[in-house]
């Protein structure tokens, strides 16, 4: 028999089509943390990965990381 595993839950996702970035926020049940993974949409490579203790901090960080390249003083 296979051991039981807990699958991370997707909490939020953000995309920036112009830059080809996407960010996913997942809840890691075993560690009670939230993981932000920002990926290059073209290659699939993870360019930033970080864990946070709160959902709000993880979601806000993911949103900022994906949007930062689009900020041009508007």
């Amino acid at each position: 028999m296979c051991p039981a595993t807990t699958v991370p839950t997707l909490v939020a996702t953000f995309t920036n089509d112009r830059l080809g970035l996407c960010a996913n926020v997942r809840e890691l049940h075993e560690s009670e943390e939230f993981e932000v993974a920002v990926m290059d949409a073209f290659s699939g490579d993870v360019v930033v990965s970080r864990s946070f203790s709160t959902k709000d901090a993880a979601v806000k960080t993911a949103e900022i990381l994906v949007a930062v390249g689009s900020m041009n003083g508007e």
Side-chain angles (χ1 to χ4, degrees):
M1 253 180 109
C2 295
T5 58
T6 305
V7 176
T9 302
L10 185 63
V11 174
T13 187
F14 301 95
T15 59
N16 182 324
D17 293 332
R18 188 172 138 221
L19 296 176
L21 294 175
C22 58
N24 293 323
V25 179
R26 302 182 310 160
E27 181 178 5
L28 306 174
H29 298 286
E30 294 174 2
S31 63
E32 297 182 5
E33 291 186 330
F34 296 86
E35 176 190 63
V36 173
V38 179
M39 294 171 283
D40 178 324
F42 302 110
S43 69
D45 293 340
V46 174
V47 293
V48 175
S49 180
R50 171 108 193 255
S51 295
F52 294 87
S53 59
T54 68
K55 176 181 169 182
D56 290 340
V59 169
K60 189 64 176 174
T61 300
E63 184 176 25
I64 290 169
L65 288 172
V66 169
V68 77
S70 296
M71 295 178 182
N72 58 4
E74 293 179 1

